[in-house]
Amino acid sequence: MTSMTGRGPIGAGPWPYALWALTRAWLLACVFKVVTVPGPDVTVDVSVIYRSWYEVLLTGTYPLDDVTWQYPPGAALAILSPALLPFLEYATAFFVLVLLCDALVLGLLLYAGRWPGTPPGEAGAWVWIAGVALLGPTVYARYDLMVTAVAVAALLAGVRRPRALGALAAFGALLKGWPALLLVGVRKGPPTRAAWTSAALTAAGLAAAFALWMPGAFAFLAFQRDRGTEIESLGALVFHVARRFGWEGRVELRYGSLEFLGPYVELVSTLALGLGVLALGWLLLWRLRARTFAAHTPAEAAFTAVLLFTVTSRVISPQYLVWLVGLAAVCLVFRGAAMTLPAVLVLVAAGVTLLEFPVGFGHVVAGDAWGVTLLLVRNGLLVAASLIAARRLWRSTVPGRPRARGGLLAGRGQPSRVAR
C-alpha cells in the first residue's frame, strides 16, 4: 500500500525489525559472554583500554602518555559517553549505547527508504542488518559504530540540507577522521559551497573547543605518524608469504595493534602511503571531471573513497568494515544506485572478517595457511569492491567521449549517454 503522497510503503514490514532484534540479541549475548565466540576476548578494549582512557579523561586531560591513544579529540566524547548511564557498569553502559546507535541507523535507513525516488523495499536496511551481524561481536566492542551512525545521518540529511551534511561530516571527522571523505561527492556549485563552508566552520569551532577543553587534544598526530604495517592489512600479506620463505622478521604488539617488524617493513609501509596518495589523486581527478550528480552521488563517492583508503591503509582493523557496511547501506537506499555489487562484496568480506578475527586470529598471527587464506580472501574482496566501485562511480558521473558518428548533437560537443 502506498501513501497519498506517493512516497511508497507507509511503513516497513515486521521482518527488518524482527531480524534486527534477533541478530542484535546474539551480539549482546556475545559481548556479555553468555555465548562464547572462539578467539581472543573482543570486549577487553572496552573493559580495560576504554575504561582506562575514561579514568584519565575524567582528570581533565587526554591520555598524553599512552601511545595507543591515536584518535582525534572528539573520540573523548565516545569514551566518556557511558557516563550518560551512571547506573550501569562502564562496559555495560557502552554496549547499550552502541545498541542504541545501531537502532538509530536502522531507523534512519527505513525512513529514508520511504522518500520519493527511493526503492519501495528496504535494501539499505537489510545491508545494515546483515553486515553488522556478519562482523560479529567486535563491532559492539568498539566505538566505530557510533561514528558510522553520524556518517549515515550526514549523508541522508545532505540529500536536502548540504549544510547539515557538512556539519555532521566535520563532527564525525573529529570523532575518527574518515567521515571527512563524506564531502567529496557533494554536488558542485552552491551545495558544495554550503557543505564545505559548514564543515570548515564546524571543524574549526569544535577543534578550538576541544583544545581549550583539555590539554593534549592533538597529541594523537605524533602517535599515528609512527604506525607500522599491521598484520591484517593488504601490505602485510607480503610478509605473511615471505615468512614461509625465511624472511627474518617478527610480529610485535605496538601502538595497540600487532605489527610486522623487520627487513623491508618500512618500505612496504611507505608504499602503502604512496598508494593512499594515488587514491587521493584519483578522487581529486574524479571530482574535477565529474558532471552528473544525482541524489545518490554523495553516498557512492563516500563509499568509494572510504574503500580506497581502507585497502591502501597500513592498518585494516576488523571494525573498519562497519564503516563500509554503513556507507553501502546508504547507497542502496536510492533508486538508480550503482553500488549493489560492491556492497555485496563488502558483506561477504564482513563474514570472512569474523572468521579472521576473532575466530581465526591465532592462525593470522602465526601466518599459517588458513590464516593467510582468510586474509587473502578478505582483502581480495575489498580490493575488488574498491575497483568496481571506482569504475562505476566514474562511469555514472563523468561524461564519455563524443561518439565518432554522433550526428548533430555529437558535432556540437554534446557528451554521449553515460553508461551505468
Side-chain angles (χ1 to χ4, degrees), residues 293-347:
F293 286 77
H296 51 74
T297 301
E300 294 190 347
F303 180 50
T304 302
V306 175
L307 269 169
L308 290 172
F309 281 105
T310 297
V311 298
T312 58
S313 174
R314 293 173 293 173
V315 180
I316 304 181
S317 296
Q319 62 268 23
Y320 291 11
L321 271 291
V322 75
W323 314 344
L324 300 173
V325 168
L327 297 178
V330 177
C331 289
L332 267 63
V333 161
F334 300 98
R335 186 183 303 279
M339 296 295 166
T340 301
L341 178 55
V344 170
L345 293 176
V346 165
L347 287 180

Side-chain angles (χ1 to χ4, degrees), residues 128-334:
W128 179 252
I129 292 167
V132 173
L134 287 169
L135 281 169
T138 302
V139 82
Y140 266 35
R142 307 289 189 272
Y143 82 92
D144 295 81
L145 193 146
M146 297 177 175
V147 184
T148 304
V150 174
V152 169
L155 288 171
L156 294 178
V159 174
R160 295 184 177 90
R161 299 176 181 85
R163 288 185 178 85
L165 188 158
L168 287 170
F171 176 59
L174 285 169
L175 287 172
K176 201 159 188 180
W178 67 266
L181 295 171
L182 304 182
L183 297 169
V184 72
V186 180
R187 184 189 300 273
K188 294 179 180 180
T192 288
R193 290 192 292 273
W196 290 16
T197 301
S198 175
L201 293 174
T202 302
L206 289 176
F210 284 123
L212 294 172
W213 179 32
M214 288 189 293
F218 296 96
F220 76 99
L221 294 172
F223 300 155
Q224 280 283 1
R225 179 188 60 205
D226 297 327
R227 290 300 293 263
T229 296
E230 189 258 347
I231 65 170
E232 297 165 277
S233 65
L234 185 64
L237 286 168
V238 174
F239 301 111
H240 280 295
V241 174
R243 282 200 296 185
R244 308 179 74 84
F245 295 93
W247 175 71
E248 296 179 356
R250 66 188 186 280
V251 173
E252 187 174 301
L253 181 64
R254 299 174 74 241
Y255 306 105
S257 65
L258 289 171
E259 299 182 356
F260 278 114
L261 295 177
Y264 307 110
V265 172
E266 186 175 352
L267 173 61
V268 171
S269 297
T270 302
L271 289 174
L273 290 174
L275 288 175
V277 172
L278 289 176
L280 176 61
W282 183 89
L283 285 170
L284 292 174
L285 178 62
W286 168 79
R287 177 77 191 178
L288 291 171
R289 295 285 304 279
R291 294 291 181 272
T292 305
F293 286 77
H296 51 74
T297 301
E300 294 190 347
F303 180 50
T304 302
V306 175
L307 269 169
L308 290 172
F309 281 105
T310 297
V311 298
T312 58
S313 174
R314 293 173 293 173
V315 180
I316 304 181
S317 296
Q319 62 268 23
Y320 291 11
L321 271 291
V322 75
W323 314 344
L324 300 173
V325 168
L327 297 178
V330 177
C331 289
L332 267 63
V333 161
F334 300 98

